[in-house]
Amino acid sequence: MSALLDTYAAWPFELDHGRNDVVVSADGVAYTDWYGGHCVTLTGHCHPHVVGAIKAQADKLLFYSAAAKLSIRERAADALIAHLAGAGVERVFFCNSGAEANENALKMALKATGRKRIACFEGGWHGRTLLALSATDDPKIVAPFAPFLVPATQLPFNDIGALLATNFSDIAAVIVEPIQSMSGIRTASSAWWQTLRARTAAAGTWLIIDEIQTGLGRVGASSASLLMGIKPEAMTLAKGLASGMPIGATLFSASAASTIRQGDLGSTFGGGPLAMAALIATLEVIADEDLIERAARTGALLKAQLPGAAVASVLGEGMLLGLRTHEPGASLKKHLYDRRMLVGASGDPHVLRLMPPLTISDDAVAALTSAINELGA
Ligand code: PLP
């Protein structure tokens, strides 16, 4: 037995390598990766431009912390803000993971407002660190650690009445995913988002939008906030931001950033040069290959093609989709696995998730469609 702690239920094969939308097991079986390495491989596995940028940077400087000024770190921050033009965020702090990005956003809101409570939503998922966990609705991973350092009010999602009935004046921040992924690709109405923004703004409460799954192009826009016309105090990114190099980012509006002082945030590895090189290359690939447009187009195609005998409806946007199944999703997941296609489960037993590279090929789309439609034949 390996010394590695056994905390994950992994695929039943050993993975050896990957290229674009395909991963290959140690015994040579190729699978189409609709799971996207856990919603990470935005540009596909081992995109040559990203790999080349990482190699070139590794030859130049493998690491230096933020104790040293590095032009690549500043260029990465500028490129990211430019990519998100119109989303209302202007300054960036780099860290190493999604949970850390959320932790930083929540901490800065607690400090800026002087309040001692946060709010979150039923079905939300924000990470495994204690502050992120306190805002997460997943009893099996949350219950053993309660009560938390910072109390969290959990509100129903997509319920305008509940927003109107909540007094936000003692709440430092509300944290929310644009599309609740883990709990089953759940979305809210535009009117709900507008009400949430108006209520939090009126109370001086920060709105933190967790775009760790939805950000950068996956939903067919450079961010879901932009698609919804909502400008937050803070936005968090991780997952595909550097095509698989560990990274997280907390982005702040100009007014939120003005409350942050030197020493308020820190991270040894955050903003390391390898992750920065991968981030810049990732943004270049997204632009050069029109991946945002491609995500929107592929998503629309699947929404039109997949409903039928096995799939009741397709939820979500772009390349963050939920297949609502008539029967429990596990049997469709197995059917697809047997045809060498990897898809994700969710907290809803009737929703399977697709979160592939935005570069997923037309052949893969056709193969998935025919494998699912086979079930109606
Ligand atoms: N927020 C969302 C929406 C997530 O899906 C995840 C991870 O799945 C996280 C935060 C936490 O990210 P990480 O695992 O990088 O800490």
Side-chain angles (χ1 to χ4, degrees), residues 35-364:
Y35 186 68
H38 205 57
C39 199
V40 166
T41 55
L42 267 185
T43 58
H45 291 279
C46 303
H47 193 292
H49 185 62
V50 178
V51 171
I54 294 170
K55 284 182 176 164
Q57 182 59 44
D59 271 342
K60 196 173 168 202
L61 179 71
L62 206 53
F63 182 71
Y64 211 98
S65 77
K69 192 172 154 75
L70 295 181
S71 84
I72 193 163
R73 192 176 290 133
E74 292 179 7
R75 279 188 283 121
D78 292 345
L80 184 55
I81 293 298
H83 182 77
L84 293 165
V89 286
E90 313 236 332
R91 307 296 294 279
V92 189
F93 178 79
F94 287 116
C95 54
N96 309 287
S97 69
E100 199 186 342
N102 284 337
E103 197 87 7
N104 289 332
L106 289 164
K107 270 172 68 182
M108 291 305 98
L110 290 164
K111 173 175 170 278
T113 60
R115 300 174 186 173
K116 305 288 177 219
R117 166 173 290 279
I118 59 174
C120 54
F121 292 97
E122 283 170 16
W125 210 98
H126 302 290
R128 302 255 185 176
T129 55
L130 278 182
L131 193 50
L133 208 53
S134 63
T136 288
D137 180 14
D138 193 343
K140 70 180 180 311
I141 65 166
V142 172
F145 304 104
F148 292 101
L149 202 54
V150 177
T153 301
Q154 195 181 92
L155 300 169
F157 188 54
N158 194 25
D159 180 337
I160 293 182
L163 291 180
L164 296 176
T166 301
N167 174 8
F168 286 95
S169 65
D170 67 340
I171 293 176
V174 176
I175 184 164
V176 59
E177 289 161 89
I179 296 177
Q180 291 188 331
S181 178
M182 208 79 127
S183 57
I185 311 292
R186 298 170 75 223
T187 51
S189 71
S190 167
W192 182 84
W193 281 102
Q194 300 301 333
T195 309
L196 176 63
R197 182 60 286 191
R199 296 283 294 155
T200 48
T205 300
W206 280 28
L207 179 58
I208 300 171
I209 305 208
D210 176 338
E211 297 240 21
I212 285 164
Q213 295 216 6
T214 54
L216 297 162
R218 180 167 290 286
V219 296
S222 60
S223 68
S225 312
L226 199 64
L227 211 55
M228 302 178 313
I230 297 289
K231 293 189 177 174
E233 274 70 33
M235 177 194 292
T236 53
L237 297 169
K239 298 242 185 242
L241 181 53
S243 290
M245 289 294 292
I247 190 170
T250 312
L251 298 91
F252 298 94
S253 69
S255 72
S258 72
T259 68
I260 300 172
R261 305 276 166 268
Q262 206 169 74
D264 281 352
L265 292 169
S267 163
T268 298
F269 288 114
L274 282 193
M276 298 295 99
L279 185 165
I280 293 171
T282 298
L283 296 177
E284 286 167 351
V285 171
I286 291 173
D288 292 350
E289 300 185 13
D290 285 330
L291 294 186
I292 296 182
E293 215 261 305
R294 188 178 171 88
R297 204 174 33 195
T298 312
L301 194 67
L302 290 171
K303 279 186 167 187
Q305 289 180 349
L306 297 187
V311 172
S313 58
V314 180
L315 316 168
E317 292 294 333
M319 288 290 84
L320 183 59
L321 296 178
L323 308 183
R324 178 164 287 292
T325 52
H326 294 293
E327 301 297 321
S331 64
L332 179 59
K333 189 167 182 245
K334 163 126 192 0
H335 171 83
L336 295 172
Y337 182 78
D338 290 345
R339 282 150 190 77
R340 315 268 191 254
M341 295 173 212
L342 306 177
V343 301
S346 78
D348 183 334
H350 278 87
V351 177
L352 296 180
R353 288 183 296 164
L354 305 180
M355 35 206 183
L358 308 191
T359 52
I360 189 95
S361 71
D362 294 344
D363 285 353

